Amino acid sequence: MTTTDAGGQVAARARGPYAKTAERRLAILEAATEVFAERGWRAASLRQIAEAAGISLSTLQHHFPSKVELLHATMTHRDEHRFERAPGALPSFPQTVVGQAVANEGVPRLIQLYSVLTAESATAEHPARDYFAQRFASLREEYAAEFAALGAAGALRPGVDPATAAALLIGLWDGVQLQWLHDPDAIEPAEALVAYLGLVIDDEALLPSAAQRARWRSDGIVSA
Amino acid sequence: MTTTDAGGQVAARARGPYAKTAERRLAILEAATEVFAERGWRAASLRQIAEAAGISLSTLQHHFPSKVELLHATMTHRDEHRFERAPGALPSFPQTVVGQAVANEGVPRLIQLYSVLTAESATAEHPARDYFAQRFASLREEYAAEFAALGAAGALRPGVDPATAAALLIGLWDGVQLQWLHDPDAIEPAEALVAYLGLVIDDEALLPSAAQRARWRSDGIVSA
DNA sequence: GTCTATACTAAGATAGAC
DNA sequence: GTCTATCTTAGTATAGAC
């Protein structure tokens, strides 16, 4: 995985001598997030992004020398806004997963960016291909371990293989987000995950209740 | 949905006075399928496709005046190769779904084309966007009806909603194919579908057995 | 009917002026 | 830091040869 530290620089220099640079970079990253999410990386043009950020193409290119570097910086910036598991508040793995999905509803642009790039990067010679292949692999590993732990605790439905359950969860999540992109009214990703987890997990108490999900939606949820 | 009848012309004129045209068009469609599947529609260049088909760019453009029309013709051509339900041979809906997934393994290029375009078309102003939005909607409807029928026959796990089961099936299928594109060794789409259907369906006899799937893989499967 | 040659516009990338 | 100019390649359109 090759990424720049652009996102980090924004935060690190926010009050430093290069405050204006940091502001510019942040504005560019937000504009890039929007345009990449809307059109994908390939179809997005640097001229569109520059216009959305209110600067000229050359200024954009001063801060991010290539379109690939801008993509990497945008994804790093996105990773910093991911939902992090709060150990005390969300004890179970299913609750963490659904909590992440609910939190995602609050940042639709970032989700759209992620979904569009996940999908687009399944093509040859895409600059984010390694990033997502790596991500799939580590997610499968992480989720399989979580499902295995649930199984050891007797909370898994009999006959369910942890590795398979993990791959299905990831596939379902991405696929449902894809449907959601095509038709936002047709499906709710978080509720789809609840339905799937309800099929795999034997202990209802491990899933977030409808009331809990509603509370997350109205009160917001812990986010890093 | 706007498609040309290009695919149809190929078959219709195969032995007619324009046999050479038909051959050319078929060669172009096969080259286009390969390049679109590999790189997506936007990143694919007409020059690449022409080279893959062994003709000049201008010749390609004579047969398909625009890149959009070539895409439509390619998708129509793909639709003609879809697996069709053989009423006698595959009595149950779950068997039809898994049979389709197994048949897909025999035409990885077409599946890659479909997956890549499904994903890519989730962006704004994509020429296949309407096609896939429509496809999602009709698939959800069709599968929901099938699950409802299973429910009426008492073959559905208690508490499973047909519409939700349908949306999950479609999402899972697409998402798993996406993972398969990123890492073909990590997951088998057909087996993933079996695992999911096993969670939703109460009657084991409705699912194709492992032996049945193996037989499909070795003997081939009815395909339109 | 089939194919080649050429020109036009927009994109990403680069160099250099201020 | 910001902008102008230029290069290469892409998609597209047109004229015309066989």
Side-chain angles (χ1 to χ4, degrees), chain B residues 25-42:
Chain B
R25 291 177 70 94
L26 189 58
I28 292 169
L29 287 178
E30 282 170 0
T33 296
E34 190 165 323
V35 179
F36 284 157
E38 193 71 27
R39 312 181 63 86
W41 177 76
R42 288 201 217 259

Side-chain angles (χ1 to χ4, degrees), chain A residues 150-170:
Chain A
L150 287 172
L156 222 50
R157 187 176 169 191
V160 170
D161 171 58
T164 302
L168 260 60
L169 172 60
I170 297 162

Side-chain angles (χ1 to χ4, degrees), chain B residues 93 143-162 200-202 206:
Chain B
F93 167 63
Y143 288 179
E146 296 278 5
F147 277 119
L150 287 172
L156 223 52
R157 186 174 170 194
V160 170
D161 172 57
V200 175
I201 289 165
D202 245 353
L206 294 177

